[in-house]
Amino acid sequence: MEPMLSIKNLTKRFGGLTAVNQVSMDVHPGEVVGLVGDNGAGKSTLIKMVSGVYQPNDGDIFFEGRRVHISRPSEARELGIETIYQDLALAGNLDVGANIFLGREHKRAYLGGLVRVLDDRFMQAQSEKLLVDLDVHIPSLRQKIDKLSGGQRQAVAIARAVYWNARLMIMDEPTNNLGVAQQGEVLSLIRRLRDQGVPVIVISHTIRDIFAVSDRIVVLHRGHKVADKRVTETSHEEIVQYIMGARDDYRSN
Amino acid sequence: MTADSPAEALPLKIVSRRIARQKQAILVISKVWSWIFLAILVVFFSIEGTGFFTVRNSQNILVAIVPVLLMGLGQTFVIIAAGIDLSVGWVMGLSSVVSALVIRDLADGGLAVGLAILIGFIAGVGSAALAGLLNGVIIAKLKVPPFIVTLGVSFIARGAAFLLSGGNVVGGQPQALRDLGNEALLYLQRGDETQLYFLRKPDVTGAQLRMLDRILPWPVVITLALVLIAIFILHRTQFGRHTYAIGGNKEATKRAGVPVDRLTILLYVMSAVTAGFAGVLYTARFSGGSSIAGDALMMSSIAAVIIGGVSMFGGEGRVSGTVLGALVIAVLQTGLIMMAVEPFWQYVIVGIIIILAVLMDQARDLIIGRAEAE
Ligand SMILES: Nc1ncnc2c1ncn2[C@@H]1O[C@H](COP(=O)(O)OP(=O)(O)O)[C@@H](O)[C@H]1O
Ligand SMILES: [Mg+2]
């Protein structure tokens, strides 16, 4: 199967520091890829090049078979690459439906087409259906986002991306700052996304979470890729060794 | 929390239920206190003052509200979007002077009075809009804090208004303008036979004229229309939704593809335009343009917004709240005058309710809290 996303020899330097060094990886449809590595290994920098926040110094990005230049986050989103940030994504004073449709509100004609008003009933109904499909439970969609738990907010952000036809989802530390129960909810939501055909790249420093959701694990160490393994072919211990730099599958010579 | 009954002495369930009930009560009070306050004021003044609870006085209150409410309307949008517009007072003065100059010169030049007034109206509001555009562009594009920008533009508008008027009242206005500022939609003739006239002023003099009440003077009608439009825009349209979104999380709103800079500019133009209306209506009411028309009212308009429950942090509030806030201030003002109390007491009282309003807001936030980490 053709990969949805294909990264070839991507390099990013900050001054004298090479944060990401000649990294290549593929993400296939219906696949969750776990991206792990020590602090400063280059995980965030790598995905920020895919989401348009940083420009690579070298290397290529292919999306759905085409070579793409992503110079701004909005361009990534137009391609269908959605990045879920923990806090940046939602307006806390608006309700769930308003957030899912933020910037793309559904409107209807009013006063015989003289003006167009918000169609909140439509947006509520769509949001409700969407959340049911994704098996996300939120007591009332009329609730303001501020009143929701961290996990519920995360779920709303993900649902919004799904509704607007995300083709690839990127999540940087989605379970950070969440209680245990909420962590579990977010992880199962990631699995449901995969089952609906949306591939996901998940960054986490919690190896347990990574094993719980990933089909494949990519390990970075000081900007280099050191491992790319199916979860069924590796173990916690082995991955930890890669993370610490004790193993490297790609070291040349 | 009751200090005399230590919580640990009671079964946990009862304590938590009691706290829940107290929370609920505080929540309700924090939402409706300004209505209660208004009701108390009205009752108090009706008992204490003579002639407070009359048709005529109700209309006086409405007329007094006009400038404060108009400036408060635009300000409501701006503050919901987490901004502030300190220029509205002097922008109102600028609009008053510009409209007065244009109407006088055009009418003197022989233009039909109706047309002169219309063009003057547009010129006044247009000059205000220009000031708003300046505010908006500097805030949105140059990222200077609104507090600073609107303060600066306030001085510019003040200077321009003084330069244009020479510091004098711009008089010499046509009678039709005075009528626009003072005549009404309805007239109530009291006396032997009470009669209501619609859109037609009965031809009476002397004692009968003193028994004639103007109901809904034109400035009030125009203001009511603008209130309805503001309610519609804020609560029904995409622009309104985005106004809230910007106040709630500007970064997220930008990321969602909303043209935040453009909307910000529009918000400050709107705020200036409502102040511009206030300026023109001032000119009409007093038959003369004055650069200081709005100076003393600007703070009252912000007070109305705050009393009305709009959060100074942005993201929360309704137009109806601002109407209520303006009503509270106007009732206070007229009531104190009618009681022959030093009218300056109104400032002391308004000051106290502003602080009270913000305290209520904080209490509510504290109680509602956030449902994190369950
Ligand atoms: N904007 C930046 N400017 C300079 N250095 C950066 C910047 N972003 C990241 N770095 C550096 O690049 C390296 C990789 O960082 P990052 O990608 O955030 O790692 P990770 O997400 O794996 O913890 C670190 O040494 C970090 O200090
Ligand atoms: Mg990181």
Side-chain angles (χ1 to χ4, degrees):
Chain A
M1 195 172 10
E2 185 191 312
M4 180 79 81
L5 174 76
S6 187
I7 293 169
K8 300 262 192 264
N9 300 315
L10 225 49
T11 297
K12 179 68 191 176
R13 283 183 286 269
F14 293 112
L17 173 88
T18 306
V20 173
N21 201 339
Q22 298 278 324
V23 171
S24 301
M25 68 183 270
D26 290 342
V27 180
H28 295 90
E31 178 179 54
V32 177
V33 175
L35 190 57
V36 297
D38 212 351
N39 267 341
K43 308 178 296 288
S44 296
T45 305
L46 179 65
I47 59 123
K48 279 177 179 170
M49 286 188 278
V50 178
S51 60
V53 177
Y54 293 148
Q55 305 307 303
N57 294 104
D58 203 5
D60 297 308
I61 300 171
F62 296 86
F63 191 69
E64 300 191 298
R66 286 186 302 117
R67 180 146 173 256
V68 289
H69 288 280
I70 307 170
S71 45
R72 265 176 293 126
S74 60
E75 289 179 16
R77 249 171 288 132
E78 274 158 32
L79 287 169
I81 300 172
E82 289 276 355
T83 310
I84 307 295
Y85 295 96
Q86 273 216 353
D87 276 324
L88 249 63
L90 305 169
N93 60 330
L94 298 183
D95 66 22
V96 174
N99 266 286
I100 287 177
F101 283 85
L102 183 58
R104 295 175 273 207
E105 286 81 2
H106 198 267
K107 285 164 285 181
R108 61 183 171 79
Y110 186 69
L111 295 178
L114 192 65
V115 280
R116 294 172 64 70
V117 295
L118 294 172
D119 191 351
D120 274 321
R121 198 179 315 159
F122 174 87
M123 294 190 273
Q124 288 289 332
Q126 290 289 101
S127 304
E128 185 154 9
K129 183 173 169 310
L130 172 68
L131 293 177
V132 168
D133 285 350
L134 288 171
D135 202 17
V136 172
H137 300 285
I138 289 172
S140 160
L141 295 193
R142 282 268 166 213
Q143 292 243 306
K144 291 182 178 170
I145 292 292
D146 271 348
K147 309 274 158 56
L148 302 181
S149 70
Q152 287 169 331
R153 273 182 249 175
Q154 190 102 230
V156 172
I158 293 168
R160 174 167 73 179
V162 170
Y163 186 81
W164 297 106
N165 292 321
R167 314 276 299 134
L168 169 70
M169 202 84 85
I170 299 173
M171 298 184 213
D172 196 346
E173 306 278 5
T175 53
N176 254 8
N177 309 320
L178 295 188
V180 177
Q182 295 175 30
Q183 284 179 14
E185 278 168 32
V186 170
L187 293 177
S188 58
L189 184 53
I190 292 173
R191 272 182 237 114
R192 278 195 296 280
L193 283 182
R194 172 197 48 206
D195 297 343
Q196 299 198 353
V198 182
V200 186
I201 301 175
V202 187
I203 295 180
S204 178
H205 56 243
T206 315
I207 307 289
R208 180 173 38 83
D209 290 353
I210 287 291
F211 269 88
V213 293
S214 306
D215 301 297
R216 202 148 51 77
I217 299 177
V218 171
V219 187
L220 295 187
H221 183 252
R222 297 187 182 164
H224 291 274
K225 181 163 104 170
V226 294
D228 191 335
K229 300 226 155 211
R230 304 202 66 74
V231 276
T232 47
E233 294 159 1
T234 185
S235 64
H236 284 46
E237 293 72 25
E238 197 181 46
I239 292 297
V240 169
Q241 287 181 337
Y242 281 112
I243 290 173
M244 295 193 309
R247 275 164 168 263
D248 186 344
D249 292 352
Y250 296 90
R251 192 171 295 148
S252 41
N253 66 54
Chain B
M1 315 296 130
T2 43
D4 49 333
S5 60
E8 50 277 287
L10 292 167
L12 206 57
K13 220 190 230 163
I14 295 175
V15 173
S16 66
R17 209 181 303 147
R18 176 186 294 173
I19 291 173
R21 224 180 306 126
Q22 285 175 346
K23 277 186 177 182
Q24 204 58 43
I26 295 176
L27 262 187
V28 170
I29 291 171
S30 76
K31 271 190 186 144
V32 301
W33 73 275
S34 27
W35 289 103
I36 297 172
F37 186 76
L38 178 64
I40 292 172
L41 279 183
V42 170
V43 170
F44 176 77
F45 287 134
S46 302
I47 297 168
E48 288 295 313
T50 41
F52 182 84
F53 211 73
T54 58
V55 171
R56 174 162 299 177
N57 194 47
S58 72
Q59 297 309 305
N60 286 342
I61 289 172
L62 288 181
V63 169
I65 283 179
V66 164
V68 170
L69 179 52
L70 280 176
M71 287 195 276
L73 276 187
Q75 192 79 262
T76 303
F77 281 74
V78 168
I79 294 181
I80 287 176
I84 183 86
D85 187 349
L86 298 179
S87 70
V88 286
W90 290 102
V91 166
M92 173 179 165
L94 176 66
S95 157
S96 171
V97 167
V98 168
S99 60
L101 286 171
V102 170
I103 294 169
R104 185 191 64 193
D105 290 353
L106 289 181
D108 286 354
L111 194 68
V113 169
L115 201 57
I117 291 175
L118 181 68
I119 295 173
F121 212 116
I122 294 170
V125 173
S127 68
L130 228 57
L133 190 66
L134 192 60
N135 277 329
V137 168
I138 299 173
I139 290 163
K141 297 293 181 191
L142 304 181
K143 315 289 173 205
V144 185
F147 177 80
I148 308 288
V149 177
T150 57
L151 191 65
V153 168
S154 170
F155 275 94
I156 296 172
R158 178 184 191 165
F162 274 108
L163 288 170
L164 286 170
S165 65
N168 304 313
V169 171
V170 183
Q173 301 298 325
Q175 177 63 34
L177 183 66
R178 179 182 284 274
D179 291 346
L180 174 68
N182 295 279
E183 295 309 334
L185 185 65
L186 292 166
Y187 296 88
L188 180 71
Q189 180 71 66
R190 286 173 291 129
D192 303 337
E193 47 189 291
T194 299
Q195 208 175 341
L196 203 60
Y197 298 86
F198 180 69
L199 272 175
R200 185 168 65 84
K201 190 182 181 184
D203 202 6
V204 292
T205 49
Q208 274 209 296
L209 191 57
R210 255 174 276 127
M211 301 291 273
L212 184 70
D213 284 332
R214 293 173 173 79
I215 297 180
L216 296 178
W218 293 117
V220 173
V221 174
I222 293 173
T223 303
L224 283 179
L226 290 177
V227 166
L228 293 179
I229 293 172
I231 289 174
F232 180 81
I233 293 176
L234 187 58
H235 302 304
R236 300 292 299 276
T237 69
Q238 189 174 35
F239 177 82
R241 176 67 45 86
H242 291 168
T243 301
Y244 282 102
I246 291 171
N249 189 340
K250 188 162 140 190
E251 216 39 59
T253 310
K254 233 178 230 168
R255 280 178 45 82
V258 175
V260 170
D261 287 353
R262 211 168 68 211
L263 291 189
T264 303
I265 294 172
L266 213 55
L267 286 167
Y268 284 92
V269 170
M270 270 179 64
S271 171
V273 162
T274 58
F277 268 87
V280 179
L281 293 177
Y282 177 97
T283 300
R285 182 170 169 217
F286 297 104
S287 216
S290 166
S291 45
I292 60 165
D295 177 30
L297 301 171
M298 197 271 290
M299 281 303 178
S300 296
S301 79
I302 294 180
V305 175
I306 299 174
I307 294 168
V310 177
S311 163
M312 290 303 278
F313 301 110
E316 306 285 338
R318 302 186 68 81
V319 172
S320 56
T322 299
V323 175
L324 176 66
L327 211 54
V328 166
I329 292 173
V331 164
L332 204 55
Q333 203 176 333
T334 23
L336 290 177
I337 291 171
M338 299 192 75
M339 278 176 66
V341 175
E342 275 282 0
F344 303 116
W345 275 108
Q346 65 166 294
Y347 297 125
V348 177
I349 298 175
V350 167
I352 293 169
I353 26 182
I354 289 174
I355 295 170
L356 207 65
V358 175
L359 282 178
M360 290 287 186
D361 211 35
Q362 286 181 351
R364 184 167 51 201
D365 281 358
L366 260 181
I367 288 164
I368 297 172
R370 295 193 174 187
E372 251 156 354
E374 277 140 61

